Structures are given as structure tokens and as C-alpha cells.
Amino acid sequence: MTARDTAPAAIPQESRAPAQAPLPAGAARASLPAQAEDPAAPPTQLSAPSPAPASTRAAAPGFSSRLTAPLLIGSLLNPLNTTMISTALVAIGHHFDIGAADTAWLISVLYLASAVAQPVLGKLADVLGPRRVFLAGLVVVIASGLVGAVAPSFGWLIVSRLLLGIGTSAAYPAAMAVLRDESARIGRATPRPVLARLSFAALGSAAVGPTLGGLLVMVVGWRGIFAVNVPVALIAFGAALLWIPADPPRGRAADGSAPRLGLDPLGIGLFATALTVLVFFLLDLAHPMWWLLAPFLALTATLVWWQLRCREPFIDLRMLAGNAALSRTYLRHGISYLLIYCVMYGYTQWLEEVRGYSSGHTGLLMLPMSVAALVCSLLGARTKGIRGPLALACVLLTVGAGVLVLLSGDTPLAVLLLAGACFGIPQGLIGTSNQAAVQAYAPAESIGSAAGLQRTAQYIGAITASSLIALAYGQSASDHGLHLMAGVSVVLGLVLIVLTLTDRALSGRT
């Protein structure tokens, strides 16, 4: 990566980094299996270019609050909307006279769109420039908020959530790419506190989502869940226009032509179609359509075949196979959020339909989880380790799932609050730790795509969680359904503990 590829045009020539400033050894490689597997190897900040001259650093300290403010606002929209709707599902179901199995589509369609859009928009941010992608995503978010606020039927809500998943997917990978460009401009790695603020914005918004959603439903009705995105996106759009610098020139081909997008439309289509077929199968496990497994397996096999032969694949399977540490990070992240979202959606529905709490009261009952997640995300950002926080988080997820197994219609209020808190602590620790792992293990030149794939793993976990909830509850929540969901979560929690404790790449990052 040269300064011509990374330096914004607005920076005077004399303040730019040297034209051939090299990256740290190995930073630009497509994979780092040796580093990832060697516990004795020191942590590598892959996004850090070589230091710029002292005069450059003095003139351009970088990572100002103005630069990061729009990134933080934009990045909170996707996680906020993934959890905010949890306390509105019952109200939406009553309004349109549909059950829990139908409202689960509001969860799945956002995650389906996000799972596909995150790596695509991450790739676009790497090639076209993160500022352009960031702004375009916010325009789509504004449109989705308007559609949802006036939706005359449940189908239009599905359309709104689809647009919302696409639009909000731009912010996180674009933000990571902006920080990468800023690192290259000033010649030093992105400070961990900056990454911590980005993680805190995502985790914090996801954590307060159920409480905020409950308050909005109670004060303005469930349409407020959709309408609130419009002013937030407008604020982020204005701040981005003012404070995010113009995209630096991207690299050109040897013949001087514009860089190839390399989007792999066939790979994207195969992935989206296979995932859609899987969602249709998973959302009706009570009456499984087994015949759907045949096209799913055929699509998956075709996708793998094509990704191994495509020059610029949608999902770089060879890189993931060679970078085992990054692949295990994605797997951990997906399973962790499967458990977390079971609580976000399944537990809140149980509180409303079985215990009889209103949306507002349910949101307040989830407040201990929100506070615990916020506090632990800050603590996780301050620690330098990865394995220790992850191991603690996995144990608490398993314990929290065990508590859910014991709940019933007459469980004391204090135990209900404790159950939520048991999931809040790991939510804060898992987000910051896995983000640090992606930053450490991912190739520097494709950090946008890598960040998008991390979110894709998270959303596949969420889709699986919504499917488990639909199977457990059917048309309405029940004690039996909650216990079934919790029992499966306990087993998955034990699997997560084993995956974390046996990961050799984490042994040097305690």
C-alpha cells in the first residue's frame, strides 16, 4: 500500500508519508497461519502501516473526535435495530393478527439482508472508498424508516426491514476502512481506545435496544421503532459530510485503468439464495420441509466450487482455510450471538406473553442486561487480552442459559433480573474481544471485507436463534418453549467453552 493509495487529496504534499512507506512485515499477506497458530508470536496489528515522519505526526495527530463521531452514530444503527424490535414483536403481532412464527420474519429478513450486504459493502468500501459507501447506506436507512413508519400491511414492514438491513450494513465495514485509511495517512496503528469506542457504540446500542424499544412502543406505538431511524440517520449523514475526509485515491491497474470492483455477482447470488432457502427451512422446524435440504446442499456445493475457482471470490475460502485463527473467530462469534439473540427475542416474548408484562415493563426488566453489557464492553476495551474475557463470557452464557431452564410463571422478579444480567456481561466481553481478534488476524488490505464477514457470522447466528424461537414457541410463548430453547443453549454454551479453551491461537493472548 503506497501513500498515493491512502492519502486524502486534501493533505498537502509535504505532509504526506513517503511514497513507498512499507507495511510491517507480513501485514499485506492474504493470510497469516503461522502467526495465528504460534502462541509465542507477539500480537500483530495488521492495520498499522509503517510510521510516518515525525513532522507528519505532529501536523496530523489523526483519529479526532470529529472523524469518529459520524462513524459511531452510523455504526450503532444496525445493532440497535436488531434488538430494539424485540419488545415490539408482540404489539406488531396483535396489530396485524399474526403469531410469533410470523413476526420472526421481521428478525430473519434483516439478518438475511445484513449477512449478504455486510461483506459486499465491505468490499465496496475497500475498492470505491468508505465515505461514499457510508453515505449511500444512510440514504437507504432513511428510506427504510419512512416505509416502516407508514406501512399499511405486514408485507411492507418486511420490505422496510429488508432495506434497513442493507442500509445499516454499510456503516461498520466502512468505519473500519476509514480508520485503516487514517492509520495509513498518519503512519500509526489505530489506537485501541478508538476501536473500543466503535465496539462500545455497537454493543451499547444493541444492549439498550430492548429498553428503548419498549419505551417507544409505550409512548408512541410500535411504528416509532421504524421512524426513529430517520433523524438518527440524518444526523449521521450531516456529520459524515462535514467531518469524514474525502476518500483517498484507490489503487489503479498496471495499465492505468480504474480498479476492478471484484464483487463476484455469481458468488453473491449463490450465497444469498442458499441462505434464503435455509431460512425457509429453519423458520418452520415444527413442520420441516425436508425437500428444501436438497436445493440448499446443491447451492452450497456450487458456491464452494465457484469460490475456489473465482479470482476474486465473494468469500475467500482459501484465505479462511489458511487463516485458521480468523475462521475460528467467526465461528465463536456466530455461536455466541446465537445464544445472546435467543434471550433478546425469546426471553422478552416470554416475559410479555407468559408473565403478562407490558412492552415498557419488559424493556425495564432487560435494563440490568443492558447496563451489564455497557459496563463490560468498556472493561473489555481496556483489557489487552482476548482469551480470558472470552472464556469468562462463554461460562456466563452457559450459566445464564441454565437459569432460563429453571424459570416459570411464578419465578421471583429478582431471578428474572439476574437471568438478563447473566447474558449482559458476556455480550459486552464477546463483542470487544472478537473485534480485537479480527483486527489482529485479518489481512490489512481487506479489513473492510473481514469486518463484514464477522457481522455475517453474527447474523447467521441470529437467524438460527429466530428459527429456534419459532420452533420452541410456535404461535405463542410458553414455559415449555422457553425451557426447550434454554436447554439447547446450554449445550451450545458448553461447545463454545471447549472451542475457546482449546484454541491455540488464543493461548498467547490471555
Side-chain angles (χ1 to χ4, degrees), residues 51 71 136 231 259 313 320 323 354 458 471 488:
L71 303 180
L320 292 177
N323 195 338
V354 175
Q458 176 177 327
L471 172 64
V488 174

Side-chain angles (χ1 to χ4, degrees), residues 285-310:
L285 289 177
H287 308 90
M289 294 180 285
W290 297 109
W291 63 269
L292 285 175
L293 292 180
F296 169 72
L297 292 175
L299 287 165
T300 302
T302 306
L303 174 64
V304 171
W305 174 84
W306 174 249
Q307 296 303 277
L308 293 176
R309 284 156 179 78
C310 182

Side-chain angles (χ1 to χ4, degrees), residues 68 71-72 75-76 171-172 175-176 179 193-203 435 455:
T68 57
L71 303 180
L72 299 179
S75 296
L76 64 80
Y172 178 66
M176 294 290 281
L179 296 179
V194 174
L195 293 173
R197 288 197 293 271
L198 188 63
S199 179
F200 180 78
L203 292 171
Q435 184 185 44
R455 288 291 180 89

Side-chain angles (χ1 to χ4, degrees), residues 339-348 366 369 404 420 423 485:
L339 303 183
I340 290 170
Y341 283 123
C342 277
V343 176
M344 287 287 188
Y345 301 119
Y347 184 45
T348 52
M366 299 299 286
M369 183 179 77
L404 293 184
F423 284 87
M485 180 180 66

Side-chain angles (χ1 to χ4, degrees), residues 16 36 59 77 107 130 142 148 180 184 190 194 233 263 277 287 351 416 422:
R16 295 180 183 178
L77 283 168
I107 303 170
I142 294 169
R180 174 206 58 201
T190 303
V194 174
L263 286 183
V277 172
H287 308 90
L351 289 172
L416 301 181
C422 283

